[in-house]
Coordinates of all heavy atoms in Angstrom, one line a residue:
M1469 N 0.8 -1.2 0.0 CA 0.0 0.0 0.0 C 0.9 1.2 0.0 O 1.8 1.3 0.7 CB -0.9 0.0 1.3 CG -1.7 1.2 1.2 SD -3.3 1.1 2.2 CE -2.8 0.5 3.8
S1470 N 0.5 2.2 -0.9 CA 1.3 3.5 -1.0 C 0.5 4.6 -0.4 O -0.5 5.0 -1.0 CB 1.7 3.7 -2.4 OG 2.4 4.7 -2.6
E1471 N 0.8 5.1 0.9 CA 0.1 6.1 1.5 C 0.5 7.5 0.9 O 1.7 7.6 0.5 CB 0.3 6.1 3.0 CG -0.3 4.8 3.6 CD -0.2 4.8 5.1 OE1 0.2 5.8 5.7 OE2 -0.5 3.8 5.7
G1472 N -0.4 8.4 1.1 CA 0.0 9.7 0.6 C -1.3 10.5 0.1 O -2.4 10.2 0.6
A1473 N -1.1 11.4 -0.9 CA -2.2 12.1 -1.4 C -1.9 12.5 -2.9 O -0.7 12.6 -3.3 CB -2.4 13.4 -0.6
V1474 N -3.0 12.6 -3.6 CA -3.0 12.9 -5.0 C -3.7 14.2 -5.2 O -4.9 14.2 -4.9 CB -3.4 11.7 -5.9 CG1 -3.4 12.2 -7.5 CG2 -2.6 10.5 -5.8
F1475 N -3.1 15.1 -5.9 CA -3.9 16.4 -6.2 C -3.8 16.6 -7.7 O -2.7 16.5 -8.3 CB -3.3 17.6 -5.5 CG -3.3 17.5 -4.0 CD1 -2.2 16.9 -3.4 CD2 -4.4 18.0 -3.3 CE1 -2.2 16.8 -2.0 CE2 -4.3 18.0 -1.8 CZ -3.3 17.3 -1.2
E1476 N -4.9 16.9 -8.4 CA -4.9 17.1 -9.8 C -5.4 18.5 -10.1 O -6.5 18.8 -9.6 CB -5.8 16.1 -10.5 CG -6.0 16.2 -12.0 CD -6.9 15.0 -12.5 OE1 -7.9 14.7 -11.9 OE2 -6.5 14.7 -13.7
F1477 N -4.6 19.3 -10.9 CA -5.0 20.6 -11.2 C -5.3 20.7 -12.7 O -4.3 20.4 -13.5 CB -3.9 21.6 -10.8 CG -3.8 21.6 -9.2 CD1 -2.9 20.8 -8.6 CD2 -4.5 22.5 -8.5 CE1 -2.8 20.8 -7.2 CE2 -4.4 22.5 -7.0 CZ -3.4 21.7 -6.5
I1478 N -6.3 21.3 -13.2 CA -6.5 21.5 -14.5 C -6.3 23.0 -14.8 O -6.9 23.8 -14.2 CB -8.0 21.0 -14.9 CG1 -8.3 19.7 -14.5 CG2 -8.2 21.2 -16.5 CD1 -7.5 18.7 -15.2
L1479 N -5.5 23.3 -15.7 CA -5.1 24.7 -16.0 C -6.0 25.1 -17.1 O -6.1 24.4 -18.2 CB -3.7 24.8 -16.5 CG -2.6 24.3 -15.5 CD1 -1.3 24.4 -16.0 CD2 -2.8 25.0 -14.1
N1480 N -6.8 26.2 -16.9 CA -7.6 26.6 -18.0 C -7.6 28.2 -18.2 O -7.2 28.8 -17.4 CB -9.1 26.1 -17.7 CG -9.7 27.0 -16.5 OD1 -10.0 28.1 -16.5 ND2 -10.0 26.1 -15.5
M1481 N -8.0 28.5 -19.3 CA -8.1 30.0 -19.7 C -9.6 30.5 -19.5 O -9.8 31.7 -19.8 CB -7.7 30.2 -21.1 CG -6.3 29.7 -21.3 SD -5.1 30.5 -20.4 CE -4.7 32.0 -21.2
D1482 N -10.5 29.7 -19.0 CA -11.9 30.1 -19.0 C -12.2 30.8 -17.7 O -13.4 31.2 -17.6 CB -12.8 28.9 -19.2 CG -12.6 28.1 -20.6 OD1 -12.3 28.8 -21.5 OD2 -12.8 26.8 -20.6
G1483 N -11.3 30.8 -16.7 CA -11.6 31.5 -15.5 C -12.5 30.6 -14.6 O -12.9 31.0 -13.5
E1484 N -12.6 29.3 -14.9 CA -13.3 28.4 -14.0 C -12.5 28.2 -12.8 O -11.3 27.9 -12.9 CB -13.7 27.2 -14.8 CG -14.7 27.3 -16.0 CD -15.0 26.1 -16.7 OE1 -14.8 25.0 -16.0 OE2 -15.3 26.2 -17.8
D1485 N -13.2 28.0 -11.7 CA -12.3 27.7 -10.5 C -13.1 26.6 -9.6 O -13.2 26.7 -8.4 CB -12.1 29.0 -9.6 CG -13.4 29.6 -9.1 OD1 -14.5 29.2 -9.5 OD2 -13.3 30.7 -8.4
D1486 N -13.6 25.7 -10.3 CA -14.2 24.5 -9.7 C -13.3 23.7 -8.8 O -12.1 23.5 -9.2 CB -14.9 23.6 -10.7 CG -16.1 24.3 -11.5 OD1 -16.6 25.2 -11.0 OD2 -16.5 23.6 -12.5
I1487 N -13.7 23.3 -7.7 CA -12.9 22.4 -6.8 C -13.7 21.2 -6.5 O -14.9 21.3 -6.1 CB -12.6 23.1 -5.5 CG1 -11.7 24.4 -5.7 CG2 -11.9 22.2 -4.5 CD1 -11.5 25.2 -4.5
V1488 N -13.1 20.1 -6.8 CA -13.7 18.7 -6.5 C -12.9 18.0 -5.6 O -11.7 17.8 -5.8 CB -13.9 18.0 -7.9 CG1 -14.6 16.6 -7.6 CG2 -14.8 18.8 -8.8
V1489 N -13.5 17.5 -4.5 CA -12.8 16.8 -3.6 C -13.4 15.4 -3.5 O -14.6 15.2 -3.4 CB -12.9 17.4 -2.2 CG1 -12.1 16.5 -1.2 CG2 -12.4 18.8 -2.1
N1490 N -12.6 14.4 -3.9 CA -13.1 13.0 -3.9 C -12.9 12.3 -2.6 O -12.0 12.8 -1.8 CB -12.4 12.2 -5.0 CG -12.7 12.7 -6.5 OD1 -13.8 13.2 -6.7 ND2 -11.8 12.6 -7.4
K1491 N -13.7 11.3 -2.4 CA -13.5 10.5 -1.1 C -12.1 9.9 -1.0 O -11.4 9.7 -2.0 CB -14.6 9.5 -0.9 CG -14.4 8.3 -1.9 CD -15.6 7.3 -1.7 CE -15.5 6.1 -2.6 NZ -14.7 5.1 -2.1
C1492 N -11.7 9.6 0.2 CA -10.4 9.0 0.4 C -10.4 7.6 -0.2 O -11.5 6.9 -0.1 CB -10.1 8.8 1.9 SG -9.7 10.5 2.6
E1493 N -9.4 7.2 -0.8 CA -9.2 5.8 -1.3 C -8.2 5.0 -0.5 O -7.4 5.7 0.3 CB -8.9 5.9 -2.8 CG -9.9 6.5 -3.7 CD -11.2 5.8 -3.7 OE1 -11.3 4.6 -3.2 OE2 -12.3 6.4 -4.2
S1494 N -8.0 3.7 -0.8 CA -7.0 3.0 -0.1 C -5.6 3.3 -0.2 O -4.9 3.1 0.7 CB -7.3 1.5 -0.4 OG -7.1 1.3 -1.9
D1495 N -5.2 3.7 -1.4 CA -3.8 4.1 -1.6 C -3.7 4.9 -2.9 O -4.6 5.1 -3.7 CB -2.9 2.9 -1.5 CG -3.3 1.9 -2.7 OD1 -3.3 2.3 -3.8 OD2 -3.4 0.7 -2.4
I1496 N -2.5 5.4 -3.1 CA -2.1 6.3 -4.2 C -2.4 5.5 -5.6 O -2.8 6.1 -6.5 CB -0.7 6.8 -4.2 CG1 -0.6 7.8 -2.9 CG2 -0.2 7.5 -5.4 CD1 0.8 8.3 -2.6
N1497 N -1.8 4.3 -5.5 CA -2.0 3.6 -6.7 C -3.4 3.3 -7.2 O -3.7 3.4 -8.4 CB -1.3 2.3 -6.7 CG 0.3 2.4 -6.4 OD1 0.9 3.5 -6.6 ND2 0.9 1.3 -5.9
Y1498 N -4.3 3.2 -6.3 CA -5.7 3.0 -6.6 C -6.2 4.3 -7.4 O -6.9 4.3 -8.3 CB -6.7 2.8 -5.5 CG -8.1 2.6 -5.8 CD1 -8.6 1.4 -6.2 CD2 -8.8 3.8 -5.7 CE1 -9.9 1.4 -6.6 CE2 -10.2 3.6 -6.1 CZ -10.8 2.5 -6.5 OH -12.1 2.4 -6.8
V1499 N -5.8 5.4 -6.9 CA -6.2 6.7 -7.4 C -5.6 6.9 -8.7 O -6.4 7.2 -9.8 CB -5.7 7.9 -6.6 CG1 -6.1 9.2 -7.2 CG2 -6.4 7.9 -5.1
L1500 N -4.3 6.5 -9.0 CA -3.7 6.7 -10.3 C -4.3 5.8 -11.3 O -4.3 6.0 -12.5 CB -2.2 6.5 -10.1 CG -1.5 7.6 -9.4 CD1 0.0 7.2 -9.2 CD2 -1.7 8.9 -10.0
K1501 N -4.8 4.6 -10.9 CA -5.4 3.7 -11.8 C -6.8 4.2 -12.3 O -7.3 3.8 -13.4 CB -5.7 2.3 -11.1 CG -4.5 1.5 -10.9 CD -4.9 0.3 -10.2 CE -3.6 -0.5 -9.6 NZ -4.0 -1.8 -8.8
N1502 N -7.3 5.2 -11.5 CA -8.7 5.7 -11.9 C -8.7 7.0 -12.4 O -9.8 7.7 -12.4 CB -9.6 5.5 -10.6 CG -9.9 4.1 -10.4 OD1 -10.6 3.4 -11.1 ND2 -9.2 3.4 -9.3
I1503 N -7.6 7.7 -12.7 CA -7.6 9.0 -13.5 C -6.8 8.7 -14.6 O -6.0 7.9 -14.7 CB -6.9 10.1 -12.5 CG1 -5.5 9.8 -12.3 CG2 -7.7 10.3 -11.3 CD1 -4.7 11.0 -11.6
H1504 N -7.0 9.6 -15.6 CA -6.2 9.5 -16.9 C -4.9 9.9 -16.6 O -4.5 11.0 -16.0 CB -6.8 10.4 -18.0 CG -6.0 10.5 -19.2 ND1 -5.9 9.5 -20.0 CD2 -5.1 11.4 -19.6 CE1 -5.1 9.8 -21.0 NE2 -4.6 11.0 -20.7
Q1505 N -3.8 9.0 -16.8 CA -2.6 9.4 -16.8 C -1.7 8.5 -17.7 O -2.0 7.3 -17.8 CB -2.1 9.3 -15.2 CG -2.1 7.9 -14.6 CD -1.0 7.0 -14.9 OE1 0.1 7.5 -15.1 NE2 -1.1 5.7 -14.7
T1506 N -0.6 9.0 -18.2 CA 0.2 8.2 -19.1 C 1.7 8.2 -18.5 O 2.5 7.8 -19.2 CB 0.2 8.8 -20.5 OG1 0.7 10.1 -20.5 CG2 -1.1 8.6 -21.1
M1507 N 1.7 8.6 -17.3 CA 3.2 8.6 -16.7 C 3.6 7.1 -16.4 O 4.8 6.8 -16.6 CB 3.0 9.3 -15.3 CG 4.3 9.3 -14.6 SD 4.2 10.3 -13.0 CE 3.1 9.5 -12.1
I1508 N 2.8 6.3 -16.1 CA 3.2 4.8 -15.7 C 2.4 4.0 -16.6 O 1.0 3.9 -16.5 CB 2.9 4.5 -14.2 CG1 3.8 5.5 -13.4 CG2 3.3 3.1 -13.9 CD1 3.4 5.4 -11.9
I1509 N 3.1 3.2 -17.4 CA 2.4 2.2 -18.2 C 2.5 0.8 -17.6 O 3.6 0.5 -17.1 CB 2.9 2.2 -19.6 CG1 2.7 3.6 -20.3 CG2 2.3 1.1 -20.5 CD1 3.3 3.8 -21.5
G1510 N 1.5 0.1 -17.5 CA 1.6 -1.3 -16.9 C 0.9 -1.3 -15.5 O 0.2 -0.3 -15.2
T1511 N 1.3 -2.2 -14.8 CA 0.7 -2.3 -13.4 C 1.3 -1.3 -12.4 O 2.5 -1.2 -12.5 CB 0.8 -3.8 -12.9 OG1 0.2 -3.8 -11.7 CG2 2.3 -4.2 -12.7
L1512 N 0.6 -0.9 -11.6 CA 1.0 0.1 -10.6 C 1.2 -0.6 -9.2 O 1.5 0.1 -8.2 CB 0.0 1.2 -10.4 CG -0.2 2.2 -11.5 CD1 -1.5 3.0 -11.4 CD2 1.0 3.1 -11.7
D1513 N 0.9 -1.9 -9.1 CA 0.7 -2.6 -7.8 C 1.9 -2.6 -7.0 O 1.9 -2.6 -5.8 CB 0.3 -4.1 -8.2 CG -1.0 -4.1 -8.8 OD1 -1.8 -3.2 -8.6 OD2 -1.4 -5.2 -9.4
H1514 N 3.1 -2.5 -7.6 CA 4.4 -2.6 -6.7 C 5.1 -1.2 -6.8 O 6.3 -1.2 -6.3 CB 5.3 -3.7 -7.3 CG 4.5 -5.0 -7.2 ND1 4.3 -5.7 -6.1 CD2 4.1 -5.9 -8.2 CE1 3.6 -6.8 -6.3 NE2 3.4 -6.9 -7.7
I1515 N 4.5 -0.2 -7.2 CA 5.2 1.2 -7.2 C 4.9 1.8 -5.9 O 3.7 1.9 -5.4 CB 4.7 2.0 -8.5 CG1 5.2 1.3 -9.7 CG2 5.3 3.3 -8.4 CD1 4.8 1.9 -11.0
Q1516 N 5.9 2.5 -5.2 CA 5.7 3.3 -4.1 C 6.2 4.7 -4.3 O 7.4 4.8 -5.0 CB 6.4 2.7 -2.9 CG 5.8 1.4 -2.4 CD 6.3 0.9 -1.1 OE1 7.5 1.1 -0.8 NE2 5.4 0.4 -0.2
F1517 N 5.6 5.6 -3.9 CA 6.0 7.0 -4.0 C 6.5 7.5 -2.8 O 5.9 7.3 -1.7 CB 4.8 7.9 -4.5 CG 4.4 7.6 -5.9 CD1 3.4 6.5 -6.1 CD2 4.9 8.2 -7.0 CE1 3.0 6.3 -7.4 CE2 4.4 7.8 -8.3 CZ 3.5 6.9 -8.5
S1518 N 7.5 8.4 -2.8 CA 8.0 9.1 -1.6 C 8.3 10.5 -2.1 O 8.5 10.8 -3.3 CB 9.2 8.4 -1.0 OG 10.3 8.5 -2.0
G1519 N 8.3 11.4 -1.1 CA 8.5 12.8 -1.5 C 7.4 13.4 -2.4 O 6.3 12.9 -2.3
T1520 N 7.8 14.5 -2.9 CA 6.8 15.1 -3.8 C 7.0 14.9 -5.3 O 8.2 15.0 -5.7 CB 6.7 16.7 -3.5 OG1 6.4 17.0 -2.2 CG2 5.9 17.4 -4.5
N1521 N 6.1 14.3 -5.9 CA 6.3 14.0 -7.3 C 5.3 14.8 -8.2 O 4.1 15.0 -7.9 CB 5.9 12.5 -7.5 CG 6.7 11.6 -6.6 OD1 7.8 11.2 -7.0 ND2 6.2 11.4 -5.4
L1522 N 5.9 15.5 -9.2 CA 5.1 16.3 -10.1 C 5.0 15.6 -11.5 O 6.0 15.2 -12.1 CB 5.8 17.7 -10.1 CG 5.9 18.5 -8.8 CD1 6.8 19.7 -9.1 CD2 4.4 18.8 -8.3
Y1523 N 3.8 15.6 -12.0 CA 3.6 15.0 -13.3 C 2.7 16.1 -14.2 O 1.7 16.5 -13.7 CB 2.7 13.8 -13.1 CG 2.2 13.2 -14.4 CD1 3.0 12.8 -15.6 CD2 0.8 13.0 -14.5 CE1 2.4 12.4 -16.6 CE2 0.2 12.4 -15.6 CZ 1.0 12.1 -16.7 OH 0.5 11.6 -17.9
L1524 N 3.4 16.6 -15.2 CA 2.7 17.6 -16.0 C 2.4 17.0 -17.4 O 3.2 16.3 -18.0 CB 3.7 18.8 -16.2 CG 4.1 19.6 -15.0 CD1 5.0 18.9 -14.2 CD2 4.4 21.0 -15.5
E1525 N 1.1 17.2 -17.8 CA 0.6 16.6 -19.1 C -0.4 17.6 -19.6 O -1.3 17.8 -19.0 CB 0.2 15.3 -18.9 CG -0.4 14.7 -20.2 CD -1.1 13.3 -19.9 OE1 -2.1 13.2 -19.4 OE2 -0.4 12.3 -20.4
Q1526 N -0.2 18.1 -20.8 CA -0.9 19.1 -21.5 C -1.4 20.2 -20.5 O -0.5 21.0 -20.1 CB -2.1 18.4 -22.1 CG -1.8 17.4 -23.2 CD -3.0 16.6 -23.7 OE1 -4.0 16.6 -23.2 NE2 -2.7 15.9 -24.7
N1527 N -2.7 20.4 -20.1 CA -3.1 21.4 -19.3 C -3.4 20.9 -17.8 O -4.1 21.5 -17.1 CB -4.4 21.9 -19.8 CG -5.5 21.1 -19.8 OD1 -5.4 19.7 -19.8 ND2 -6.8 21.6 -19.6
R1528 N -2.6 19.9 -17.5 CA -2.8 19.3 -16.1 C -1.5 19.1 -15.3 O -0.5 18.9 -15.9 CB -3.3 17.9 -16.3 CG -4.5 17.5 -15.7 CD -5.1 16.2 -16.1 NE -4.1 15.2 -16.5 CZ -4.0 14.0 -16.0 NH1 -4.8 13.7 -15.0 NH2 -3.2 13.2 -16.4
I1529 N -1.6 19.4 -14.0 CA -0.5 19.2 -13.1 C -1.0 18.2 -12.1 O -2.1 18.4 -11.4 CB 0.0 20.4 -12.3 CG1 0.5 21.5 -13.4 CG2 1.1 20.1 -11.4 CD1 0.8 22.8 -12.8
V1530 N -0.3 17.1 -11.9 CA -0.8 16.0 -10.9 C 0.4 16.1 -9.9 O 1.5 15.9 -10.2 CB -0.8 14.6 -11.5 CG1 -1.3 13.7 -10.4 CG2 -2.0 14.6 -12.6
V1531 N 0.0 16.3 -8.6 CA 0.9 16.4 -7.5 C 0.7 15.0 -6.7 O -0.4 14.9 -6.1 CB 0.8 17.6 -6.7 CG1 1.9 17.6 -5.4 CG2 1.0 18.8 -7.4
I1532 N 1.7 14.3 -6.6 CA 1.6 13.0 -5.8 C 2.5 13.2 -4.6 O 3.7 13.3 -4.7 CB 2.1 11.7 -6.6 CG1 1.3 11.7 -7.9 CG2 2.0 10.5 -5.7 CD1 1.9 10.8 -9.0
K1533 N 1.9 13.2 -3.4 CA 2.7 13.4 -2.2 C 2.8 11.9 -1.5 O 1.8 11.3 -1.2 CB 1.9 14.2 -1.1 CG 1.8 15.6 -1.6 CD 3.1 16.3 -1.6 CE 2.9 17.8 -1.4 NZ 4.2 18.5 -1.1
G1534 N 4.0 11.4 -1.4 CA 4.2 10.1 -1.0 C 4.8 9.9 0.5 O 5.1 8.9 0.8
Q1535 N 4.6 11.0 1.2 CA 5.0 10.9 2.6 C 3.9 10.3 3.5 O 2.7 10.6 3.1 CB 5.5 12.2 3.2 CG 6.7 12.8 2.5 CD 6.4 13.8 1.4 OE1 5.2 13.7 0.8 NE2 7.3 14.6 1.0
D1536 N 4.2 9.8 4.6 CA 3.2 9.5 5.6 C 2.9 10.7 6.5 O 2.0 10.6 7.3 CB 3.7 8.4 6.5 CG 3.9 7.1 5.6 OD1 3.2 6.9 4.8 OD2 4.7 6.2 6.1
D1537 N 3.5 11.8 6.4 CA 3.3 13.0 7.2 C 2.2 13.9 6.5 O 2.5 14.5 5.6 CB 4.6 13.8 7.3 CG 4.5 14.9 8.3 OD1 3.4 15.4 8.7 OD2 5.5 15.5 8.6
N1538 N 1.0 13.8 7.0 CA -0.1 14.6 6.4 C 0.1 16.1 6.5 O -0.6 16.7 5.7 CB -1.4 14.1 6.8 CG -1.7 14.3 8.3 OD1 -0.8 15.0 9.0 ND2 -2.8 13.9 8.9
R1539 N 1.0 16.6 7.2 CA 1.3 18.0 7.1 C 1.7 18.5 5.8 O 1.5 19.5 5.3 CB 2.3 18.5 8.2 CG 1.7 18.4 9.7 CD 2.8 18.8 10.7 NE 3.9 17.7 10.5 CZ 5.1 17.8 10.8 NH1 5.5 18.9 11.4 NH2 6.0 16.8 10.7
L1540 N 2.4 17.5 5.0 CA 3.0 17.8 3.7 C 1.9 17.6 2.7 O 2.1 17.9 1.5 CB 4.1 16.8 3.5 CG 5.3 17.0 4.5 CD1 6.3 15.9 4.2 CD2 5.8 18.4 4.4
W1541 N 0.6 17.2 3.1 CA -0.5 17.1 2.1 C -1.5 18.3 2.2 O -2.5 18.3 1.6 CB -1.3 15.8 2.4 CG -0.5 14.6 2.5 CD1 0.7 14.3 2.1 CD2 -1.0 13.3 3.1 NE1 1.1 13.0 2.4 CE2 0.0 12.4 3.0 CE3 -2.2 13.0 3.7 CZ2 0.0 11.1 3.5 CZ3 -2.3 11.6 4.2 CH2 -1.2 10.7 4.1
T1542 N -1.2 19.3 3.0 CA -2.1 20.3 3.2 C -2.3 21.2 2.0 O -1.4 21.1 1.0 CB -1.6 21.3 4.4 OG1 -0.4 22.0 3.9 CG2 -1.5 20.5 5.6
G1543 N -3.4 22.0 1.8 CA -3.5 22.8 0.8 C -2.4 23.8 0.6 O -1.9 24.1 -0.5
E1544 N -1.8 24.2 1.7 CA -0.7 25.2 1.6 C 0.5 24.6 1.0 O 1.2 25.2 0.2 CB -0.5 25.8 3.0 CG 0.6 26.9 3.1 CD 0.8 27.4 4.4 OE1 0.0 27.5 5.2 OE2 1.9 28.0 4.6
A1545 N 0.8 23.5 1.4 CA 2.0 22.7 0.9 C 1.9 22.4 -0.5 O 2.9 22.7 -1.3 CB 2.2 21.5 1.7
V1546 N 0.7 22.1 -0.9 CA 0.5 21.8 -2.3 C 0.5 23.1 -3.2 O 1.0 23.1 -4.3 CB -0.8 20.9 -2.6 CG1 -1.2 20.8 -4.2 CG2 -0.7 19.6 -2.0
S1547 N 0.0 24.1 -2.6 CA 0.0 25.5 -3.3 C 1.4 25.9 -3.6 O 1.7 26.4 -4.6 CB -0.8 26.5 -2.5 OG -2.1 26.3 -2.5
D1548 N 2.3 25.7 -2.6 CA 3.6 26.0 -2.7 C 4.3 25.1 -3.8 O 5.1 25.7 -4.6 CB 4.5 25.7 -1.3 CG 4.2 26.7 -0.3 OD1 3.5 27.8 -0.7 OD2 4.4 26.4 0.9
D1549 N 4.0 23.9 -3.9 CA 4.4 23.0 -5.1 C 4.0 23.6 -6.4 O 4.9 23.7 -7.3 CB 4.0 21.6 -4.9 CG 4.5 20.9 -3.6 OD1 5.6 21.2 -3.2 OD2 3.8 20.0 -3.2
I1550 N 2.7 24.0 -6.5 CA 2.2 24.5 -7.7 C 2.8 25.8 -8.0 O 3.2 26.1 -9.2 CB 0.7 24.7 -7.7 CG1 0.0 23.3 -7.5 CG2 0.2 25.3 -8.9 CD1 0.4 22.3 -8.6
R1551 N 3.1 26.7 -7.2 CA 3.8 27.9 -7.4 C 5.2 27.6 -7.8 O 5.6 28.4 -8.9 CB 3.8 28.8 -6.1 CG 2.6 29.7 -5.8 CD 2.8 30.7 -4.8 NE 2.8 30.1 -3.4 CZ 1.7 29.8 -2.7 NH1 0.5 30.1 -3.3 NH2 1.8 29.3 -1.5
R1552 N 5.9 26.7 -7.4 CA 7.1 26.4 -7.9 C 7.2 25.9 -9.3 O 8.0 26.3 -10.2 CB 7.9 25.4 -7.0 CG 8.4 26.0 -5.7 CD 9.4 25.0 -5.1 NE 8.9 23.7 -4.8 CZ 8.2 23.4 -3.7 NH1 8.1 24.3 -2.7 NH2 7.8 22.2 -3.5
V1553 N 6.1 25.2 -9.7 CA 6.0 24.7 -11.0 C 5.7 25.8 -12.0 O 6.4 25.9 -13.0 CB 4.9 23.5 -11.2 CG1 4.6 23.3 -12.6 CG2 5.3 22.3 -10.4
V1554 N 4.8 26.6 -11.7 CA 4.4 27.7 -12.5 C 5.5 28.7 -12.6 O 5.9 29.1 -13.7 CB 3.2 28.5 -12.0 CG1 2.8 29.8 -12.7 CG2 1.9 27.4 -12.1
S1555 N 6.3 29.0 -11.5 CA 7.4 30.0 -11.6 C 8.5 29.4 -12.5 O 9.0 30.1 -13.2 CB 7.9 30.1 -10.1 OG 9.0 31.0 -10.2
S1556 N 8.8 28.1 -12.3 CA 9.8 27.5 -13.2 C 9.4 27.6 -14.7 O 10.3 27.8 -15.6 CB 10.0 26.0 -12.9 OG 10.5 25.9 -11.5
S1557 N 8.1 27.3 -15.0 CA 7.6 27.4 -16.3 C 7.7 28.8 -16.9 O 7.7 29.0 -18.2 CB 6.2 26.7 -16.5 OG 5.3 27.7 -15.9
Q1558 N 7.7 29.8 -16.1 CA 7.8 31.2 -16.5 C 9.2 31.7 -16.4 O 9.5 32.9 -16.4 CB 6.9 32.0 -15.6 CG 5.4 31.7 -15.8 CD 4.6 32.5 -14.9 OE1 5.0 32.9 -13.8 NE2 3.3 32.6 -15.1
G1559 N 10.2 30.9 -16.3 CA 11.6 31.2 -16.1 C 11.9 31.9 -15.0 O 12.9 32.7 -14.8
G1560 N 11.3 31.4 -13.8 CA 11.6 32.0 -12.4 C 10.9 33.1 -12.0 O 11.1 33.7 -11.0
R1561 N 10.0 33.7 -12.9 CA 9.3 34.9 -12.5 C 8.1 34.3 -11.8 O 7.1 33.8 -12.4 CB 8.7 35.6 -13.8 CG 9.9 36.1 -14.6 CD 9.3 36.6 -15.9 NE 8.6 35.4 -16.6 CZ 8.2 35.5 -17.9 NH1 8.3 36.5 -18.5 NH2 7.6 34.4 -18.3
G1562 N 8.0 34.6 -10.5 CA 6.8 34.1 -9.7 C 5.7 35.0 -9.7 O 4.7 35.0 -9.3

């Protein structure tokens, strides 16, 4: 079992700011099996995540937090991760 949290952000130009919170699932791998992703092909059963993992695809950012420390899964911690991604994509302009 891979404990942690998965956050999926859809980047849009429409100004929509919908927030959807899904129920807790048994583990990260279950979540990844049930969202569209092409990062991992094949079985996810034996993959474990640690630290912060960022997956960027088209207009989406998926943040996978693989720590057991839920303080690192807070909205503030994830917002910091997203700010770093966006800042990097803009050449360091935050």
Side-chain angles (χ1 to χ4, degrees):
M1469 177 156 54
S1470 183
E1471 294 183 7
V1474 177
F1475 300 88
E1476 180 181 33
F1477 297 88
I1478 308 296
L1479 308 173
N1480 69 66
M1481 301 299 281
D1482 301 330
E1484 296 177 25
D1485 58 359
D1486 294 344
I1487 297 174
V1488 177
V1489 178
N1490 293 326
K1491 68 181 183 85
C1492 291
E1493 297 296 349
S1494 58
D1495 61 57
I1496 292 172
N1497 295 347
Y1498 179 85
V1499 173
L1500 293 177
K1501 288 177 189 176
N1502 290 285
I1503 65 170
H1504 173 74
Q1505 61 88 21
T1506 58
M1507 177 176 64
I1508 302 168
I1509 298 173
T1511 183
L1512 294 164
D1513 295 336
H1514 301 289
I1515 294 177
Q1516 290 193 319
F1517 291 91
S1518 64
T1520 298
N1521 304 271
L1522 301 170
Y1523 167 58
L1524 290 80
E1525 179 180 73
Q1526 297 176 351
N1527 67 332
R1528 233 169 32 120
I1529 301 171
V1530 178
V1531 180
I1532 304 166
K1533 296 288 206 170
Q1535 297 97 339
D1536 293 334
D1537 185 347
N1538 63 5
R1539 290 175 298 158
L1540 301 173
W1541 308 342
T1542 65
E1544 184 177 332
V1546 173
S1547 291
D1548 289 344
D1549 294 332
I1550 295 301
R1551 273 193 286 278
R1552 282 195 303 271
V1553 169
V1554 171
S1555 176
S1556 295
S1557 72
Q1558 295 174 340
R1561 299 170 300 189

